Amino acid sequence: MFLALRELRFARARFGLMGGVIALIAILMVLLSGLSSGLVNDGVSGLKSMPATAFAFNEGTKTDNAFSRSVVDESQAEAWRSQPGVADVTLMGASMMNGTTGDGTQVDLSLFGVDSDAFLAPEIGEGRAVSAPNEIVVSPTGADEGLELGSVVTLERIGTELTVVGYTADQATFGHVTVAYLPLSTWQYIAGGDAAPGAPSEADTSDTSFNTASTVALLAEDGADIDFAAGDEAAGTVTSTLKESFNASPGYSAETLTLQMIQVFLYAICALVVGAFFTVWTVQRKHELAVLRAIGASTGYLLRDGLAQAAIVLVGFTAAGVLLGLGMGAGLSGTAMPFALEAGPIGLATALTILLGLIGAAAAIIRISRVDPLAALGGQR
């Protein structure tokens, strides 16, 4: 690495300029990773927090926005209960509603109807669990929208009143809207068109004729693999694993694919920029490389020397860019922008930036193998 370190020391300006470009790319990668994670959390954190293995929708339901399109009933849930490997089954209702708090604040809610004793019941972070038909537990994000403990939300157009009694332990949003968990019977009372102004009572919810839901939530036995094809055939459903069900959230696929495409182009730009720099650099140092070849340096030695030089630049300036990006991202967290810094995506983006940069540098440095030792001895004159 003698030549590599010597050139880094004596060509600080050129390598600094190149490193600055790499650092800017790294900053963009951190910010895009945070934005991507934030959008995912804002879109499907209500589903991610659920312990369900899969969701079964009515047969023929389109996969995008399936939670609002699907209609399933108890007979389909019973068919799934008899399937091997299934530990528990419960119905869940999902819909979006607009409401107004007592002080006139307008709020949007994703209503998740679940049985309070089912495995889908949310973990409570503050307040208490639902114990009456007119009570809801909301995501902590609702506090920023004016939903306090004790707040009464009046659903628009129907006038049904729901009281906030607790917050979930973690963020729970669906389609970028705060999730409100309520009893399944109350959800059916609202979705079936039987809802009336005022707080619903046990008598109101028990008298409703609407007994269907949006999906059948499945919980697998420990270590068991559920045969989804057999279950779908028996129940007349189409099943998506928990992760696959994220695509049923409004806008999830479009948002994630857009950000992934931007990230792919940034990776390609990193490889091309680094490759172009080292191509020009290799041409400029051709005479020095020829001298080393003339005194006995092998092609492998020169290649290792060049790649070590590229690795020092890439690792050093990528690390600097990541640190700057984390600092900028920390300022964005907690703002209206859906932004979340997660170690996994940022680590992957950093590794890919360095790896693809090295590939671009290697493609340029490979021309070292064609350096003619005679050039150092004036053989071309």
Side-chain angles (χ1 to χ4, degrees):
M1 290 179 59
F2 170 76
L3 182 61
L5 295 176
R6 181 177 179 277
E7 289 174 337
L8 286 172
R9 186 166 60 252
F10 286 97
R12 292 187 295 271
R14 276 178 284 187
F15 281 102
L17 181 61
M18 179 62 205
V21 174
I22 294 172
L24 287 175
I25 292 174
I27 291 173
L28 282 175
M29 294 310 307
V30 171
L31 296 180
L32 278 175
S33 296
L35 182 59
S36 180
S37 298
L39 283 172
V40 169
N41 288 337
D42 210 44
V44 296
S45 59
L47 298 178
K48 287 176 66 177
S49 62
M50 289 184 172
T53 304
F55 290 99
F57 303 99
N58 193 42
E59 189 175 16
T61 302
K62 292 182 65 175
T63 55
D64 62 312
N65 213 3
F67 284 97
S68 63
R69 289 192 172 106
S70 173
V71 177
V72 295
D73 56 33
E74 184 60 35
S75 65
Q76 291 170 301
E78 284 296 330
W80 270 108
R81 287 190 180 94
S82 62
Q83 296 300 308
V86 176
D88 202 356
V89 173
T90 186
L91 291 175
M92 185 185 89
S95 58
M96 292 190 178
M97 297 287 292
N98 306 116
T100 307
T101 62
D103 60 2
T105 302
Q106 294 181 331
V107 293
D108 300 321
L109 296 174
S110 287
L111 301 182
F112 278 10
V114 298
D115 288 323
S116 57
D117 57 349
F119 64 89
L120 291 184
E123 181 182 355
I124 305 300
E126 184 180 353
R128 60 176 177 82
V130 169
S131 61
N134 66 318
E135 295 177 345
I136 56 175
V137 170
V138 301
S139 167
T141 55
D144 299 329
E145 301 171 3
L147 295 176
E148 302 175 353
L149 294 179
S151 294
V152 176
V153 180
T154 303
L155 300 182
E156 293 182 0
R157 295 186 300 277
I158 57 177
T160 301
E161 298 176 354
L162 303 172
T163 303
V164 178
V165 297
Y167 295 120
T168 58
D170 300 308
Q171 176 180 340
T173 49
F174 180 74
H176 307 291
V177 177
T178 295
V179 169
Y181 294 89
L182 71 167
L184 178 61
S185 58
T186 304
W187 182 87
Q188 292 171 331
Y189 170 72
I190 295 171
D194 297 326
S201 64
E202 291 282 357
D204 293 330
T205 57
S206 61
D207 287 343
T208 183
S209 58
F210 190 78
N211 57 4
T212 59
S214 302
T215 184
V216 180
L218 311 175
L219 180 64
E221 296 176 351
D222 291 339
D225 291 326
I226 302 175
D227 187 346
F228 294 132
D232 286 334
E233 184 177 356
T237 57
V238 56
T239 302
S240 299
T241 64
L242 179 63
K243 189 171 183 179
E244 290 171 347
S245 70
F246 295 169
N247 291 320
S249 172
Y252 175 82
S253 297
E255 292 169 353
T256 54
L257 287 175
T258 299
L259 286 174
Q260 287 172 3
M261 180 175 291
I262 295 173
Q263 287 176 315
V264 167
F265 275 103
L266 270 178
Y267 292 137
I269 290 170
C270 180
L272 289 172
V273 168
V274 174
F277 173 81
F278 278 98
T279 296
V280 175
W281 183 246
T282 301
V283 171
Q284 291 179 343
R285 64 202 285 252
K286 187 174 181 180
H287 182 73
E288 289 81 2
L289 297 175
V291 170
L292 290 177
R293 287 293 304 275
I295 62 177
S298 65
T299 300
Y301 172 85
L302 296 179
L303 288 172
R304 289 193 299 273
D305 185 84
L307 283 175
Q309 189 178 73
I312 292 171
V313 174
L314 280 164
V315 172
F317 284 97
T318 299
V322 168
L323 291 175
L324 288 172
L326 290 174
M328 295 173 64
L332 293 175
S333 299
T335 63
M337 180 186 297
F339 192 90
L341 293 173
E342 296 183 358
I346 292 173
L348 177 61
T350 302
L352 284 174
T353 300
I354 295 173
L355 176 62
L356 292 174
L358 284 174
I359 292 174
I365 295 170
I366 199 69
R367 67 185 299 147
I368 290 173
S369 62
R370 298 193 293 270
V371 172
D372 185 3
L374 292 176
L377 305 175
Q380 292 181 345
R381 297 188 180 92

